[in-house]
Amino acid sequence: MSPNAKQLTNTRVLVAKIPQDVAPNKSHFRTVVLTEESPALQNNEVLVQNIIFSLDPYIRHEFAEGQEETKVIGFAIAKVVDSKNVGFPVGALVLSPSNWESYTHVSRPENIAELLRIDELASPKVPLSAYNGILGIPGYTSWDSLHSVGNPKAGETIYVSSAAGTLGQLTGQLAKRKGLRVIGSAGSDEKVAFLTKELGFDAAFNYKTEDKREALTRLAGERGLDIYYDLVGDDTVEVALDLLNPRGRVVSVGILSLHQNQAPPAPHNLVNILFKQLRFEGYLVFERTENLGKFWEEVTPLVESGEIKFKETVLESGVETLAENYLALLAGKWTGKVNVKVASL
Ligand SMILES: NC(=O)c1ccc[n+]([C@@H]2O[C@H](COP(=O)([O-])OP(=O)(O)OC[C@H]3O[C@@H](n4cnc5c(N)ncnc54)[C@H](OP(=O)(O)O)[C@@H]3O)[C@@H](O)[C@H]2O)c1
């Protein structure tokens, strides 16, 4: 049904409260199809039609008191179909903090503040889906955290976990361009080959088939590590703390293992932080978007020219497939960003 009419047909995924220590599975999600009144917008609010969902490893569940089921928060490239916000007029293309549903009413001030117009800056030389990944918030996170927290210097060695993923692909390539030696890990031999043969990593290993300590010690060699760019938040950090050189850095950005309710790590060697004067620092993108313009200025031409490569997947399917594709993403089925295109522009 047209969004201009009083009613909307909205396909929506709902998620149930997932008990502690249980990894998300299919039974936690259900899809409903609802006929709803098109919302009467208040000042600054917009209604968007979601076009290309970005499947991000985290999904935020926001349960109000006493609620056992809620909408799923997930970013999307979306089209504004109704608006009370001059910055986001009808027809504008935005990055939207949407829900897993056909139409999202963006009404909370913190969500309105997260809306980003992309129609004015999207490059015609790259697919639009790239703004969910390498040229979107994940790419910016990689670029900004590597520089602001990692402080990479030519000649140093960086180790990137989940290196074939959205952030990992860019982090490794940016570090390489800065003159670092780059080591990565990923969960299949195909991904490992992609890192070394296509993205130019100096070395990589399969963390599922090799012992992490043995592989990383061998690949770091006598030069050791200077930066651990942590996207997984698992016990690999204990190995890295042992291999880091004095004044090395741990850039804590992702917790892929915890998204699947794996036990959090309890490193026994934190004393390395003291004696090697290491820096262990977390990074959260939503508090640090002030350099987005600079990021697009610097990285867009590199992606357009192919100097920076990226692998992503665009699935064309319905809202009702988001949960199963999300679970497959966590299981490592795809390489890089997974987009689900649910409507045409
Ligand atoms: N701090 C921030 O502001 C910020 C911003 C954006 C993203 N993030 C976080 O950064 C992390 C990476 O995000 P992304 O979008 O680049 O995801 P991603 O790496 O593309 O995630 C998917 C991949 O994760 C890997 N994976 C899943 N479980 C794993 C585990 N237990 N150990 C190691 N690898 C595992 C799988 O690859 P394999 O086949 O290699 O296992 C899968 O293909 C996420 O935790 C995300 O939430 C943080």
Side-chain angles (χ1 to χ4, degrees):
M1 184 170 294
S2 154
N4 294 326
K6 280 269 180 260
Q7 306 236 288
L8 289 175
T9 299
N10 215 343
T11 303
R12 175 178 298 143
V13 179
L14 297 169
V15 61
K17 268 194 176 160
I18 302 175
Q20 285 243 308
D21 306 327
V22 173
N25 67 54
K26 232 175 158 177
S27 75
H28 297 124
F29 300 91
R30 82 184 169 103
T31 305
V32 292
V33 181
L34 301 162
T35 302
E36 298 179 324
E37 290 251 318
S38 188
L41 303 183
Q42 305 295 311
N43 268 350
N44 289 327
E45 296 180 358
V46 298
L47 177 71
V48 299
Q49 180 183 16
N50 297 310
I51 309 290
I52 310 176
F53 278 99
S54 163
L55 285 190
D56 295 294
Y58 83 99
I59 47 171
R60 267 155 48 202
H61 305 170
E62 298 197 349
F63 293 92
E65 185 115 10
Q67 214 177 353
E68 289 300 312
E69 194 176 51
T70 189
K71 296 178 188 178
V72 184
I73 295 183
F75 270 78
I77 293 169
K79 191 165 65 177
V80 177
V81 292
D82 196 5
S83 175
K84 279 265 179 81
N85 188 320
V86 286
F88 303 100
V90 170
L93 215 50
V94 291
L95 278 180
S96 168
S98 288
N99 300 119
W100 285 1
E101 58 191 358
S102 325
Y103 295 95
T104 296
H105 176 193
V106 186
S107 58
R108 292 162 64 176
E110 63 271 31
N111 289 343
I112 295 170
E114 285 177 348
L115 282 167
L116 268 179
R117 263 189 94 160
I118 53 167
D119 44 359
E120 290 164 337
L121 63 92
S123 164
K125 296 183 188 155
V126 297
L128 193 55
S129 51
Y131 289 86
N132 274 337
I134 192 157
L135 289 176
I137 297 300
Y140 173 73
T141 303
S142 155
W143 176 87
D144 195 43
S145 60
L146 178 65
H147 294 114
S148 66
V149 181
N151 190 21
K153 294 186 267 304
E156 291 188 327
T157 300
I158 184 171
Y159 163 54
V160 183
S161 50
S162 195
T166 314
L167 271 69
Q169 290 183 23
L170 182 58
T171 304
Q173 291 181 87
L174 290 172
K176 196 71 206 148
R177 291 178 66 80
K178 277 230 150 210
L180 282 80
R181 183 173 67 125
V182 180
I183 301 171
S185 59
S188 73
D189 292 344
E190 291 73 26
K191 289 184 183 182
V192 167
F194 167 67
L195 294 174
T196 53
K197 297 206 166 80
E198 292 186 47
L199 297 191
F201 279 54
D202 295 286
F205 67 96
N206 181 338
Y207 74 92
K208 287 186 179 164
T209 57
E210 290 200 60
D211 176 77
K212 283 181 274 198
R213 180 170 288 276
E214 192 282 317
L216 201 47
T217 304
R218 173 172 44 81
L219 296 178
E222 288 188 357
R223 286 168 66 184
L225 299 177
D226 299 287
I227 304 174
Y228 173 34
Y229 191 89
D230 187 3
L231 289 169
V232 301
D234 69 359
D235 56 2
T236 315
V237 74
E238 189 166 282
V239 183
L241 286 172
D242 282 339
L243 296 178
L244 278 164
N245 294 320
R247 300 215 180 252
R249 285 84 72 199
V250 178
V251 188
S252 175
V253 176
I255 47 169
L256 283 160
S257 65
L258 305 187
H259 299 320
Q260 300 174 76
N261 292 69
Q262 290 169 14
H268 291 95
N269 54 356
L270 292 176
V271 71
N272 278 306
I273 297 176
L274 168 62
F275 287 120
K276 292 199 265 186
Q277 300 188 73
L278 306 177
R279 201 147 54 79
F280 197 131
E281 188 172 334
Y283 176 96
L284 274 183
V285 69
F286 293 109
E287 295 177 9
R288 307 175 72 150
T289 49
E290 65 275 8
N291 289 320
L292 254 172
K294 212 169 146 212
F295 160 72
W296 277 316
E297 205 175 294
E298 184 182 313
V299 179
T300 307
L302 298 172
V303 175
E304 285 177 338
S305 67
E307 283 168 84
I308 283 189
K309 302 187 173 108
F310 69 105
K311 194 179 256 190
E312 64 164 14
T313 300
V314 182
L315 304 165
E316 301 215 9
S317 55
V319 169
E320 67 284 357
T321 68
L322 288 167
E324 72 196 53
N325 288 321
Y326 167 72
L327 295 170
L329 159 84
L330 286 183
K333 180 169 177 182
W334 294 288
T335 303
K337 169 57 58 193
V338 181
N339 301 277
V340 183
K341 187 170 183 203
V342 297
S344 27
L345 267 182

